[in-house]
Amino acid sequence: MVHHPSQVIAVTGATGLVGSALVSSLEQAGHAVLRLVRRPVQNAEQESYWNPSTGEIDADVLEGVDAVVHLGGANVAKQRWSNAYKQVLRSSRIDSTTLLARTIASLQQKPRVLVTASAIGFYGSRGDELLDEESPIGSGFLAELCHDWEEANQPAREAGVRVCQMRIGVVLSPEGGALKKILPIFRKGLGGPMGSGKQYVSWIGLPDVVAALEFAIDHDAINGAVNTMAPHPVTSREFANSLGQQLGRPSFLPTPAFALRMMVGWEMAEALLLGGAKIAPRKLEAEGFVFQHPTIAEALAAVLSR
Ligand SMILES: NC(=O)c1ccc[n+]([C@@H]2O[C@H](COP(=O)([O-])OP(=O)(O)OC[C@H]3O[C@@H](n4cnc5c(N)ncnc54)[C@H](OP(=O)(O)O)[C@@H]3O)[C@@H](O)[C@H]2O)c1
């Protein structure tokens, strides 16, 4: 590992669940963070305007930054997957990544590393087969999206920049994402497994995602696709049990598959709720990354106590 004491790190999606936690952790560690923002700049020292949908970006401000972390993209679970919203999900990731990667490739002083989000949607729904970074791509909308999102990094890679695509699992935080949505139901004692409850949830606590992104920034041996989830995936039933225990509430009431399909639409229900994949964080572990919260009980206890 190479230690890079105080760095300048550009971050997109800095207002999001992961981005805001990463920015505060980087700043606490003494790094300077340049946020690429899509609204008018309010603090010129910390922000630079970009608009991934019109291709606007100020390349000059990226000259000489040490690392770029790309976390921007329209929220996958925000609304039903109409054809129009699917296009937003794709373009907000693929066009933005292409713009960043091309801009990075054009710089005189390129960053050491481009770390971009990807997702476990790459693997599709795979039963209880244990998957790692070598496993082939799955099928479905999310798998294709993740594939094209990862490929969009190519200009930066071809320009000699180290590129990491973090295939992030279900991020656990009461502040956002899946856990925030289901917490009120579990707190009422009405939560439980989804559908059969046998599908795997490859999850990760928010503090460990932030640590894994920082690890990827700092470890020059980490490259390419990086599975970013805890080493102990659980079934939907185990997840519900553990959350119920943490909250001291019953959690045995399953939500039937048909109800989930009616609530969020068939395709999203299959991809995000009823399907799942059991995935190992092989590269992170091989490089010596140590999870703060490797088990679901530890992670839920930690994030719910914050
Ligand atoms: N949370 C999870 O469980 C999870 C799991 C797997 C993968 N991921 C991926 O990790 C990344 C960060 O996740 P997150 O949970 O922090 O997401 P998030 O809370 O939804 O935040 C994403 C950020 O992206 C920017 N954004 C929103 N709409 C956009 C659009 N149409 N075009 C471009 N940028 C847009 C926004 O930041 P600005 O307004 O500051 O630009 C937003 O705060 C995402 O790419 C997500 O797909 C997340």
Side-chain angles (χ1 to χ4, degrees):
M1 170 188 164
V2 181
H3 266 292
H4 303 281
S6 179
Q7 309 180 56
V8 181
I9 298 171
V11 178
T12 77
T15 56
L17 176 67
V18 177
S20 52
L22 176 68
V23 166
S24 64
S25 175
L26 289 172
E27 288 184 333
Q28 271 174 28
H31 303 301
V33 177
L34 175 70
R35 297 140 173 96
L36 296 195
V37 299
R38 296 175 303 135
R39 48 148 178 82
V41 166
Q42 289 164 1
N43 178 339
E45 278 188 11
Q46 294 187 340
E47 298 176 353
S48 175
Y49 176 73
W50 80 317
N51 186 337
S53 47
T54 56
E56 288 168 84
I57 189 165
D58 183 352
D60 291 344
V61 298
L62 292 176
E63 281 290 350
V65 304
D66 296 287
V68 176
V69 183
H70 178 33
L71 299 172
N75 194 289
V76 171
K78 186 175 163 195
Q79 62 180 76
R80 279 181 179 241
W81 289 353
S82 62
N83 285 340
Y85 197 59
K86 280 178 165 177
Q87 192 44 45
V88 171
L89 292 175
R90 284 184 60 84
S91 61
S92 66
R93 290 177 169 74
I94 297 162
D95 297 352
S96 60
T97 307
T98 304
L99 177 62
L100 264 183
R102 285 192 181 148
T103 306
I104 286 171
S106 75
L107 299 175
Q108 295 290 319
Q109 275 186 277
K110 299 177 189 29
R112 275 193 351 271
V113 61
L114 167 62
V115 177
T116 68
S118 178
I120 54 171
F122 178 90
Y123 298 105
S125 281
R126 302 284 273 269
D128 57 7
E129 180 191 355
L130 184 63
L131 305 168
D132 64 20
E133 287 91 349
E134 301 294 314
S135 302
I137 186 169
S139 58
F141 167 70
L142 281 186
E144 278 174 36
L145 165 55
C146 291
H147 172 269
D148 296 350
W149 189 9
E150 293 185 4
E151 287 295 303
N153 284 323
Q154 204 55 24
R157 196 184 295 282
E158 282 167 7
V161 174
R162 179 167 67 90
V163 176
C164 302
Q165 298 106 225
M166 312 300 282
R167 291 184 182 156
I168 302 173
V170 178
V171 177
L172 299 184
S173 163
E175 307 295 320
L179 185 59
K180 183 181 181 189
K181 287 201 168 127
I182 61 173
L183 259 182
I185 305 166
F186 275 78
R187 285 204 163 112
K188 289 190 187 117
L190 299 173
M194 301 209 199
S196 73
K198 291 180 183 158
Q199 71 279 29
Y200 271 87
V201 182
S202 288
W203 57 272
I204 182 164
L206 183 59
D208 274 327
V209 182
V210 168
L213 290 166
E214 293 174 333
F215 190 84
I217 293 170
D218 280 342
H219 284 69
D220 293 343
I222 295 253
N223 216 323
V226 183
N227 287 345
T228 309
M229 69 288 297
H232 301 292
V234 292
T235 64
S236 172
R237 183 177 304 279
E238 290 164 342
F239 183 91
N241 283 345
S242 190
L243 184 52
Q245 274 171 17
Q246 289 297 329
L247 299 172
R249 309 295 293 159
S251 59
F252 51 81
L253 266 184
T255 311
F258 78 85
L260 293 169
R261 292 186 187 115
M262 270 174 51
M263 273 189 276
V264 302
W266 189 87
E267 198 175 6
M268 192 201 283
E270 294 299 324
L272 294 184
L273 306 174
L274 298 168
K278 187 180 180 185
I279 311 168
R282 289 259 194 275
K283 267 192 201 174
L284 283 176
E285 291 197 316
E287 289 303 322
F289 180 77
V290 177
F291 286 86
Q292 296 166 60
H293 308 121
T295 68
I296 190 69
E298 287 168 287
L300 286 173
V303 300
L304 292 174
S305 70
R306 284 178 181 236

